[in-house]
Amino acid sequence: MSLKAELLSIGTELLLGQIVDTNANYLAGRLAMLGIDCLHMQTVGDNLARARQAFERALDRSDLVVATGGLGPTEDDLTREAIAAALGEVPTVDPALEAELAAWFSGRGMAMPDRNRKQAWLIPSARALPNPNGTAPGWDVQKDGKRIVAMPGVPREMTPMWESVEPSLSRGGSLRWRTLKLLGIGESAVEEKLAELVTYAKNDGVHVRVADKASTPEEADRHVAEMEREIRARLGEYVLGTDHDTLPGVIGRRLEARTWRLAVAESLSAGDIARSLSDAPGAERWFVGAIVRPSAGAETLESEGRRLGGEVLLVTPHGAETSEVRVMTPGGTRRLDIRFRSAADGRRRALLGGQDLLRRSLAD
């Protein structure tokens, strides 16, 4: 049976919107990879009564509570006090931790401030989690079948501390997932062919999420790979890539594989394609440049685009309600008719449609 986990972020600055809670995002993903179900998230300010209630609520409904923040030495760092109060235990200074803290300050030519002694506190059910990047040890608390892992809120301190805890949490199984990115097909059409999978529309097309939870990472990876093959069998021509793949990145890899270079001549897309492609890794190796000509037709764009050099040319001609985007390669020319309702709509459709036509042309 899988662990039920909860994330608890502590800090008034989170509630005020002064900082973004990147810790919760990171930890939710790590728990998922471990096959642990994260069912709740809480954010609470630097208030002892409310923090205690948050821990009590979390322990009542979850097996594992992962808390970040509130482990500093100041009066408003109250995580230790809140955990102790929620469990009915009294914190005391641990001599070994106190010696380590004093040595940390001494090694930097400073005397340890008295207020930092609270960072050497422990309760009977807690053990300290070493912090090689700061002065605040974490707490790993286990009592009555429940577990609390409390860590500093600073990501560079929290992340390595969490990585030291992860090996003890592997019994939840493993979750693996992959996102396939599709372009040139609508969300409803994808849902019709892949009704059992989760799809959602994004700015760069339709995304399909494939996930599997299994007893081992290898088994979960195998199941995800099997489903990916099935999706590609049904919709392969529309799949532009997976996970972190981008359309410009895919285009760049295909051009390099053929040792071709690309030129772009734009009117309808108004330079958006050139900007998008220029951001791709290694663009200087395969992108020779672009021209932008307002209200220019296909012949003008093709003539001026050829002067840039390159074996491949993409043009996005001007149009009032329609435009014929063209990609010319050494193997021939492919065309795509784009219909649009406004100049802004045409610009967006030319950006995606032009790059997708280019991707398809390079797959031939």
Side-chain angles (χ1 to χ4, degrees):
M1 182 173 165
S2 177
L3 288 173
K4 293 182 294 183
E6 182 156 346
L7 298 180
L8 178 51
S9 302
I10 301 167
T12 300
E13 65 276 10
L14 295 169
L15 296 175
L16 295 175
Q18 294 174 343
I19 63 172
V20 177
D21 190 0
T22 57
N23 289 338
N25 178 272
Y26 166 81
L27 290 167
R30 299 304 300 180
L31 289 170
M33 292 292 287
L34 291 167
I36 296 173
D37 297 325
C38 181
L39 303 181
H40 303 279
M41 292 184 181
Q42 294 188 72
T43 303
V44 65
D46 300 312
N47 177 278
L48 181 56
R50 287 192 287 273
R52 173 183 178 172
Q53 291 172 356
F55 276 107
E56 290 174 340
R57 185 182 305 115
L59 290 168
D60 184 59
R61 63 192 179 189
S62 303
D63 307 305
L64 170 67
V65 182
V66 183
T68 55
L71 292 180
T74 64
E75 291 184 3
D76 61 353
D77 288 310
L78 299 167
T79 297
R80 300 176 191 83
E81 292 92 328
I83 294 173
L87 296 178
E89 298 186 13
V90 178
T92 57
V93 172
D94 180 82
L97 283 179
E98 185 180 25
E100 289 178 11
L101 278 171
W104 189 93
F105 281 98
S106 176
R108 289 157 178 77
M110 299 180 290
M112 184 178 75
D114 188 62
R115 69 181 187 181
N116 283 79
R117 294 181 76 245
K118 70 182 290 185
Q119 293 183 304
W121 283 357
L122 282 179
I123 55 176
S125 58
R127 71 176 182 90
L129 294 172
N131 183 356
N133 299 307
T135 61
W139 275 14
D140 187 355
V141 182
Q142 299 191 49
K143 186 175 183 179
D144 300 330
K146 304 284 186 169
R147 186 172 182 181
I148 300 172
V149 177
M151 300 175 291
V154 180
R156 67 180 179 85
E157 298 181 29
M158 182 276 297
T159 302
M161 192 176 292
W162 174 251
E163 290 173 351
S164 74
V165 172
E166 278 194 350
S168 67
L169 295 170
S170 60
R171 69 181 177 89
S174 295
L175 178 69
R176 292 291 188 268
W177 63 80
R178 173 160 292 186
T179 299
L180 277 72
K181 299 179 177 180
L182 283 66
L183 196 57
I185 185 172
E187 185 178 14
S188 59
V190 175
E191 287 182 340
E192 184 176 342
K193 293 180 179 293
L194 305 174
E196 70 274 24
L197 298 176
V198 176
T199 67
Y200 44 102
K202 301 286 282 187
N203 289 336
D204 60 347
V206 177
H207 290 189
V208 179
R209 172 67 58 83
V210 180
D212 186 81
K213 186 175 182 180
S215 58
T216 66
E218 294 77 16
E219 183 181 2
D221 287 338
R222 185 173 68 254
H223 293 165
V224 169
E226 290 171 354
M227 183 55 70
E228 181 182 351
R229 285 194 294 271
E230 177 62 26
I231 293 172
R232 288 182 181 274
R234 300 187 200 181
L235 296 167
E237 66 176 307
Y238 301 108
V239 178
L240 71 89
T242 63
D243 295 332
H244 302 297
D245 284 339
T246 64
L247 192 48
V250 171
I251 290 168
R253 290 197 297 272
R254 291 185 177 180
L255 284 165
E256 288 200 273
R258 295 173 177 262
T259 64
W260 288 350
R261 297 167 304 149
L262 170 69
V264 177
E266 302 183 66
S267 181
L268 183 61
S269 49
D272 287 349
I273 292 176
R275 279 187 288 270
S276 177
L277 294 174
S278 295
D279 289 336
E284 70 280 358
R285 296 192 297 268
W286 47 265
F287 187 29
V288 298
I291 61 164
V292 180
R293 293 286 183 267
S295 303
E299 287 69 27
T300 298
L301 292 174
E302 182 175 351
S303 175
E304 297 194 19
R306 290 293 188 192
R307 297 174 191 167
L308 296 172
E311 293 76 20
V312 181
L313 175 63
L314 166 63
V315 300
T316 60
H318 172 74
E321 295 180 346
T322 63
S323 175
E324 185 186 72
V325 175
R326 303 178 187 177
V327 172
M328 286 146 275
T329 72
T333 299
R334 292 190 64 162
R335 295 173 170 83
L336 173 69
D337 290 326
I338 293 178
R339 299 182 181 276
F340 47 93
R341 298 180 298 274
S342 65
D345 183 44
R347 186 167 171 172
R348 181 184 66 84
R349 291 179 182 274
L351 170 64
L352 286 178
Q355 290 183 97
D356 192 45
L357 182 65
L358 181 56
R359 174 187 70 86
R360 292 167 183 262
S361 300
L362 296 172
D364 292 344

